[in-house]
């Protein structure tokens, strides 16, 4: 078994989260990279290679007219989880870009929402890749599930 050196994002996560409020600081750093993510005040609760969990607190800014977490806010959280997972996990010789998202709304989102993006190591191949994404309420009920399609390609030779 060979151990590979963590990439820059995973190294940064491990370093920053070793400090008090580290997950909060890391979450703010990621949200600044893509400012739209800041609209949901995301909080990365866990990041490992091939998996990321991102929490969206139920607050007025992310609610719809019936008082549940708006599905677009949830999709934003799912995209943040996917992007963070991809940046922390992709093999060094590859790069990625999102191509689309397909989700189903499976239940009302009446609580805080945990967005999870996950792949298997074997999925990191050139071509289309489907990232499994799910959003859970605080009772563990899946409120949104689907896939984010990525295009995986080789990095250009330098």
């Amino acid at each position: 078994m060979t151990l590979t050196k963590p990439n820059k994002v995973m190294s940064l996560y491990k370093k920053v989260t070793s400090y008090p409020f580290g997950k909060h600081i890391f979450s703010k750093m990621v949200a600044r990279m893509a400012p739209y993510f800041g609209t949901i005040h995301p909080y990365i609760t866990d990041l490992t290679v091939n998996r990321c969990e991102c929490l969206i607190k139920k607050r007025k800014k992310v609610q719809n007219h019936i008082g549940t977490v708006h599905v677009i806010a949830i999709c934003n959280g799912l995209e943040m989880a996917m992007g963070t997972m991809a940046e922390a996990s992709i093999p060094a010789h590859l790069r990625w870009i999102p191509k689309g998202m397909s989700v189903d709304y499976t239940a009302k989102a009446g609580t805080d929402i945990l967005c999870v993006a996950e792949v298997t190591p074997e999925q990191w191949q050139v071509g289309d890749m489907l990232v499994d994404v799910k959003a859970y309420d605080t009772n563990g009920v899946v409120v949104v599930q689907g896939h984010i399609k990525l295009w995986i390609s080789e990095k250009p030779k330098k």
Side-chain angles (χ1 to χ4, degrees), residues 100-118:
M101 175 185 268
S102 175
V103 295
D104 293 317
Y105 316 154
T106 55
K108 285 185 181 179
T111 67
D112 295 347
I113 301 297
L114 184 66
C115 299
V116 179
E118 189 168 25

Side-chain angles (χ1 to χ4, degrees), residues 27 37 40-46 52-57 74 76-82 84 113-117 134-136:
S27 299
F37 290 148
I40 59 169
H41 298 283
Y43 180 75
I44 306 254
T45 60
D46 191 42
C52 181
E53 297 180 1
C54 175
L55 181 68
I56 303 171
K57 290 288 220 175
I74 295 171
N76 196 1
L78 291 170
E79 188 173 6
M80 180 168 172
M82 176 281 303
T84 306
I113 301 297
L114 184 66
C115 299
V116 179
K134 289 185 178 150
Y136 301 88

Side-chain angles (χ1 to χ4, degrees), residues 6-147:
N7 70 17
K8 289 180 185 179
V9 173
M10 189 57 78
S11 294
L12 179 65
Y13 176 77
K14 288 179 179 184
K15 181 178 181 178
V16 172
T17 58
S18 69
Y19 296 108
F21 304 104
K23 287 183 180 180
H24 177 75
I25 294 166
F26 182 79
S27 299
K28 291 278 188 195
M29 292 169 75
V30 172
R32 287 190 63 144
M33 289 180 201
Y36 186 71
F37 290 148
T39 63
I40 59 169
H41 298 283
Y43 180 75
I44 306 254
T45 60
D46 191 42
L47 177 62
T48 57
V49 174
N50 299 321
R51 181 180 171 87
C52 181
E53 297 180 1
C54 175
L55 181 68
I56 303 171
K57 290 288 220 175
K58 183 184 176 195
R59 54 174 58 100
K60 191 72 174 161
K61 283 185 174 184
V62 296
Q63 290 181 37
N64 58 23
H65 65 289
I66 60 172
T68 60
V69 179
H70 198 288
V71 74
I72 298 303
I74 295 171
C75 287
N76 196 1
L78 291 170
E79 188 173 6
M80 180 168 172
M82 176 281 303
T84 306
M85 177 278 302
E87 283 297 313
S89 307
I90 194 164
H93 68 288
L94 299 175
R95 61 186 179 175
W96 66 274
I97 188 165
K99 284 180 71 176
M101 175 185 268
S102 175
V103 295
D104 293 317
Y105 316 154
T106 55
K108 285 185 181 179
T111 67
D112 295 347
I113 301 297
L114 184 66
C115 299
V116 179
E118 189 168 25
V119 297
T120 62
E122 299 79 31
Q123 287 181 264
W124 292 108
Q125 302 289 327
V126 171
D128 284 342
M129 178 173 128
L130 294 178
V131 177
D132 184 43
V133 292
K134 289 185 178 150
Y136 301 88
D137 69 10
T138 56
N139 299 311
V141 174
V142 175
V143 297
V144 175
Q145 64 183 4
H147 294 93

Side-chain angles (χ1 to χ4, degrees), residues 1-6:
M1 182 169 124
T2 60
L3 296 176
T4 58
K5 181 180 171 188

